[in-house]
Amino acid sequence: MENRLDRIKKQLHAQKYKLTPQREATVRVLLENEADHLSAEDVYLLVKEKAPEIGLATVYRTLELLTELKVVDKINFGDGVSRYDLRREGAEHFHHHLVCIECGAVDEIQEDLLEDVEKIVEERWRFKIKDHRLTFHGICHRCQDKKASEQKQA
Ligand SMILES: [Zn+2]
Ligand SMILES: [Zn+2]
């Protein structure tokens, strides 16, 4: 965690930004909740526990800056709420998401899996791909298991 914080600090420095205490508190919350997909409000409430003096506007500006510097990705799962997702270290592309339409869980796929698709797109449309966003909507394995065991009982 300290190592990653350090590297994010260097990323900011490289772009002439300082890791101020407010920014650090925000980055720490993102690191501590890496598996979650927090909205600006979620981040704010967690940052407030560490640094009560921070306002929502500051957290919001920090998240925008981190998005600009590609430390985080901003994502929307169709509910109109922007969520912030730490970019995995060394990841060239944004990871994929599996959104369950029954329970709302969001799982992640870290493997790229899209090499073949990207090759076709680059060749056929002569489009140089820099990144992608892929969200699958469906029913997660937990909900499938739940349904299966409910059917067995019925
Ligand atoms: Zn994610
Ligand atoms: Zn589910």
Side-chain angles (χ1 to χ4, degrees), residues 86-152:
L86 265 182
R87 198 169 256 258
R88 295 303 180 275
E89 269 185 289
E92 273 181 52
H93 290 153
F94 194 37
H95 54 261
H96 313 316
H97 291 102
L98 306 173
V99 178
C100 179
I101 54 174
E102 305 232 318
C103 70
V106 179
D107 294 320
E108 300 188 335
I109 302 177
Q110 297 297 336
E111 292 121 282
D112 192 43
L113 305 175
L114 288 182
E115 283 94 350
D116 293 345
V117 173
E118 291 189 343
K119 225 173 132 200
I120 293 168
V121 171
E122 294 207 334
E123 282 171 9
R124 204 173 295 169
W125 282 272
R126 210 162 65 76
F127 186 80
K128 185 90 200 77
I129 294 169
K130 295 287 190 189
D131 207 350
H132 50 236
R133 303 228 154 170
L134 185 56
T135 305
F136 296 94
H137 299 267
I139 300 164
C140 75
H141 63 92
R142 294 168 295 264
C143 288
Q144 289 179 50
D145 289 349
K146 209 172 129 207
K147 221 176 261 172
S149 70
E150 274 166 11
Q151 267 162 8
K152 240 180 256 164

Side-chain angles (χ1 to χ4, degrees), residues 58-74:
T58 305
V59 170
Y60 197 76
R61 275 198 305 272
T62 301
L63 289 169
E64 289 300 304
L65 175 68
L66 294 173
T67 305
E68 217 174 284
L69 301 180
K70 290 203 181 332
V71 173
V72 298
D73 282 300
K74 197 171 162 170

Side-chain angles (χ1 to χ4, degrees), residues 78-91:
D79 56 1
V81 180
S82 293
R83 297 170 193 284
Y84 297 86
D85 211 0
L86 265 182
R87 198 169 256 258
R88 295 303 180 275
E89 269 185 289

